[in-house]
Amino acid sequence: MTQAGLNGRHEIVSNNFHYRSDIDGLRAVAVLSVVAFHYGLAQAVFSGGYVGVDVFFVISGYLITKTIRTEIEADRFSFTTFYLRRFRRLTPALIATYIGCILFSFLLMYPHEADLVRKSIISSILFSSNIFFNRQAGYFNQALQDNPLLHTWSLSVEEQFYLLFPAFLLLLYRFHFQMRATVILLLMALSLSFSIAIVHTDQNSAFYLLPSRAWELCVGSVVALEILPALRNRKIAELVGLGGFCLICCSFVLLTKNSTFPGAAAVPSCLGAAAVIHSGGVCKTYLGQILSIKLARFIGLISYSLYLVHWPVFVFFSIYRIPSRWDRCALVVLSIGLASFMWRYIECYFRYGPFKYSARSSLVGYGFSLAIVVSVAIILPGAVSDYWKIPRNAEKLLTFSHYDASAMMKEGSCFLTSSGSDLASYDRRMCLNVLDNKKNILIIGDSLAAHLKYGLDQVFPSYNFMLAAAGSCVPSLRELGDEKCNSLMNFIFKEYIPRMKLDGVLLSARWNSSDIKNLRELAEYLSRYIKLIIVIGPTVEYDGPLPRLLANSISRIGGIDVDAHRVVQKEQVDLELKSGLSDLPVKYVSVHDIICNRICTTVLANDIPLQFDYGHFTKEGSVYFATQLPKNLFGGAAVNQEGN
C-alpha cells in the first residue's frame, strides 16, 4: 500500500480546494487496520485488515483525480508540476526507508536475504516492485513474507496507474461529461471483471498487478468526477456514509488471510470508502465529525510514513526474536513514533520547507540520492558476505531457505494453491489413478499431507499413494476452508470415495484442538466405505524457518538453542488428538513421537535440514519420516496405533 492516499495532508491543500479532515480520519482507520493485521493484533476484529490497502487506493483515486480535474478545468494542468508533486510527496520518506532497510539488512541478514532487499529496492525505485513480488510469490515462499520492502508493491501499483491516468483524463476532457463518465465506468468494470476472473486461477497476479487493481483507483475517480448521483438530503448523506463505513468494518471482520482476494471480495470495502468520501463531500456528517477528531487526523497525517516504517520494523525485530503480544504492541508504539518523526522532519521539510527547492534542484537532488541508494544496495549482499564470515555448513543450510517444493508436492495438479484455486485445476486422472496391481491409499489434507507423498512413494513402492490436497484445507465433511478447499473435499468425500473401492485413506493437516469433533465425524463417515483410516498428527513446528534457525545456531547471528524455538503448543494438540480418536477404528501416528523421540531430529546427513520452513519436510525429510513409520501401518487391523 502507500500512495497519494497515504499523504500527510491531502494534495488538495496546495491546489486551492476544500480540505477534508474526515479523509485523514479515514486514512487513520485504513492504516491502523493494516498495521493490526500485519502485527497479528485483534485478529477477531482485523482478520481482514489488509483491505485497508483497498481503502487507500480509493482515497488516492479520489484525491489525485480531484487535483487533476481542478487544474484541467482551470486550464493550468502541467505534467511537470504533477509529477514533481508526486516526487516531493513520496520520495524523501521512501529514501529514508531504503536507507534504514539497507543498514539493518547489513546488521541482521544473511547474503541471500540481503540480495532480495537489493532487488526489492531497485524494483521499487523503478515502480515495478509489484511485478517483482508477483514473480517471487509462491505458496512456500517464506522469504517473500520476510522481505522488509514487501509493502512497496502498492506504491508501484499506484505509480503505474498515475503514469498513464493524467494523460488519459486530459484526453477525456475533450469530450462531454456523459462520454467521460461512460469511459471511466467502462474502464472500472473491465478491470473489476478481470480481477474477478483471474483471482480464481492466478490469485497472486490478481493481488499484485495493476490490471486487476486499477478499478479500485477508478472508484475514487468516479467520486471525484461527480459521476455518482448527488446527495441533496442530509439524512441520505448520513445513511450513505454510515452504510459505507459499515461495509469497511464488515470487510475487516469477515475476511481472513485465506479469503479469495481481491476480486469480488474487495468490492464492499471499496464501495464503502467511496460512500464515506461521497457523503462527506455534501456536509459534515456525524461520521465525518468522528473521523475528524484530533487523534484520527494526526494518524491520518502520518499514515504514509507509518505505512512505510511499520513493516520493516516488524520484519527486522522478528529476525532478532519472534515478537510476543507485548512486543507487538510495543512495536506499534515504536512505529508511530518513527512515523511521527519522519513525517515532521522529512515529509514536511521536503514538501513545505526548508528543503522545498526549485523543480530542477529537487529532481537533481532526488535523482542523485536514488543513485546513491541503488549503488549501496548493489554492493549490499557482497558486503554482508565479506564482513560477516558465515560457516560453510551454515551457508548450505541457508540454501534451503528458498527451497522449491512445488514438484515434490505436485503443486498445481494434486495440491491446489492460490495459483490454481478451483476444482477444474485438480488433475483427477493423474492424482486419483487407481492401480489394479497395488493397494491404493488416498492422502487427503493440506500442504502437510502433500509433503508426505514423496517419502511414502520412495519407502513403500508396493503401494499406490494418491493425493487430494489444497492449501490451508483441513479434511472435514463441513465447509471450513475457502472455495478450492470446500469444492475438493466435497468431491472427494461425497462423490469419489463412496463409488471407489480404496484400500485406505491417510488424513493429514495443520490440526488444532478444535478439529477433533470434525475429525471424529469424518472418521465415522469414512469407516462406512474404507477399513483402513490413518491420521497423521500435527507436525513438529518452529516459530521460524528451520534452516535459518539452524544457521543461527552455528553462525555470527546466534548461538541459539533451536529447540527453544519449537512450538510446544503442537505437542498438546498431538496429545489431545491421540486421546480424542482412541475409541475409533483409526490408526493414529504421532509425528512428535517419531521426530522428537528423546531429542528432536532437525538435520539429516550432509547438512540437509529435515524441514525447509516452519514445518514442511524437504525431500530427504519426507523420506526419513516415511522410514520411521511402523512397517505394518498400511496393513493389518484398523486399531489405534501411536508413534513408532
Side-chain angles (χ1 to χ4, degrees), residues 535 537 574 578 588-595 625 641-643:
V535 175
D574 178 46
K578 190 183 299 184
Y588 184 81
V589 176
S590 169
V591 181
H592 282 75
D593 286 354
I594 292 176
I595 293 180
F625 178 75
Q641 181 168 337
E642 302 171 3

Side-chain angles (χ1 to χ4, degrees), residues 173-228:
Y173 257 82
R174 295 185 178 183
F175 302 94
H176 55 77
F177 173 81
Q178 195 59 47
M179 176 62 74
R180 294 199 297 270
T182 300
V183 173
I184 290 291
L185 290 172
L186 179 61
L187 176 64
M188 183 176 69
L190 288 174
S191 175
L192 175 58
S193 299
F194 178 73
S195 181
I196 292 173
I198 196 176
V199 75
H200 293 289
T201 56
D202 190 352
Q203 190 171 356
N204 290 325
S205 294
F207 186 87
Y208 286 111
L209 300 185
L210 176 63
S212 60
R213 290 288 194 166
W215 70 271
E216 302 182 27
L217 292 138
C218 287
V219 169
S221 298
V222 166
V223 180
L225 294 172
E226 299 182 0
I227 295 173
L228 296 177

Side-chain angles (χ1 to χ4, degrees), residues 379-434:
I379 67 173
L380 176 63
V384 171
S385 180
D386 292 340
Y387 190 82
W388 304 105
K389 300 302 181 182
I390 302 171
R392 187 166 298 177
N393 53 345
E395 287 184 344
K396 182 172 182 179
L397 287 166
L398 287 169
T399 63
F400 288 87
S401 296
H402 40 82
Y403 190 77
D404 185 2
S406 56
M408 165 192 167
M409 297 196 192
K410 308 295 181 184
E411 184 179 350
S413 54
C414 305
F415 170 48
L416 302 182
T417 64
S418 58
S419 295
S421 56
D422 58 8
L423 191 57
S425 305
Y426 183 72
D427 191 338
R428 304 183 192 188
R429 178 174 296 183
M430 180 180 75
C431 306
L432 299 175
N433 183 27
V434 174

